Amino acid sequence: MESRRERQRAATVDEITRTARRILVEAGPEAVTLRAIAREMGMTAPGLYRYFASHGDLLRHLVGVLFGEITAALEAGMARAAKGDHGGKFLAVARAFRRWCLAHPREFSLLFGAPLPSLDDEGDLDFADQCGREFAWTFVRLFVDLWRKQPFPVPADEELDPSLRAQLTRYRDDVLGVDLPLGVMQLFLQCWVRLQGAISLEAFGHLNFALDDPEPLFELMLAELCGLLNLEYEPPAG
């Protein structure tokens, strides 16, 4: 059982995090400073160091919280798909990811835009790293499950570009630690690049020059990805 002091500390950390997020949403990532947060909370900036070792530490905690929120949204979307409906799960996760990102453009920018200097990775896994990996593994597990239960066509390992083959081997063995053909890893990354790329273009307003509503184009991309994965595409309800 947590002590009263531990509960008070957790409540203060939560308030600091919520305040940082509110400033992020209202003014952008550059405005999320210790001084601004302290001012909003009626504290002194040095007082925040009792809870976070640095500005970067605070931002990384916020990053972890946001990754946790996205992961929960993805899992909730996946849970609504029928059991055994691999296509439904894939589409639910992709659409849930897009919905969250478009509903939270400032948060999306912090997570997937240009890295802030104070968010440089110092090598040790921390809260942000762990939450980021849990987010990534939502997609990885979905892809692995699909491959094992409903395999899709992929190139043989020897057909891959030698340089790409070496990089995919390192990513598979050292980062993910999964037992999959390299062709599956290549297709996983191809799908991820297209998914995040399409969402990024829309979230950052880079499709406004041509489209008022990019959703139909996004759905066309999902239909193409379903074709690559031997999944049945179903348009969104309504």
Side-chain angles (χ1 to χ4, degrees), residues 78 89-90 93 137-146:
M78 199 182 325
K89 288 183 179 181
F90 171 76
V93 167
W137 269 99
T138 305
F139 290 94
V140 174
R141 282 193 297 267
L142 184 64
F143 216 78
V144 170
D145 188 55
L146 172 60

Side-chain angles (χ1 to χ4, degrees), residues 147 152-161 168 181-187 190:
W147 167 255
F152 39 84
V154 296
D157 290 2
E158 59 271 14
E159 296 174 356
L160 302 178
D161 176 275
L168 291 172
L182 294 181
V184 177
M185 301 307 308
Q186 176 177 272
L187 187 54
Q190 286 178 286

Side-chain angles (χ1 to χ4, degrees), residues 56-77:
D57 188 34
L58 188 156
L59 282 180
R60 289 192 66 82
H61 182 80
L62 176 57
V63 164
V65 168
L66 295 176
F67 269 129
E69 186 174 304
I70 301 179
T71 302
L74 300 183
E75 291 177 347

Side-chain angles (χ1 to χ4, degrees), residues 12 35 47 51 53 79 89 94 98 117 120 139 156 158-159 194 217 226:
T12 302
R35 185 177 300 277
Y51 303 94
K89 288 183 179 181
R98 175 177 177 268
D120 288 343
F139 290 94
E158 59 271 14
E159 296 174 356
R194 292 186 64 180
L217 192 63
C226 283

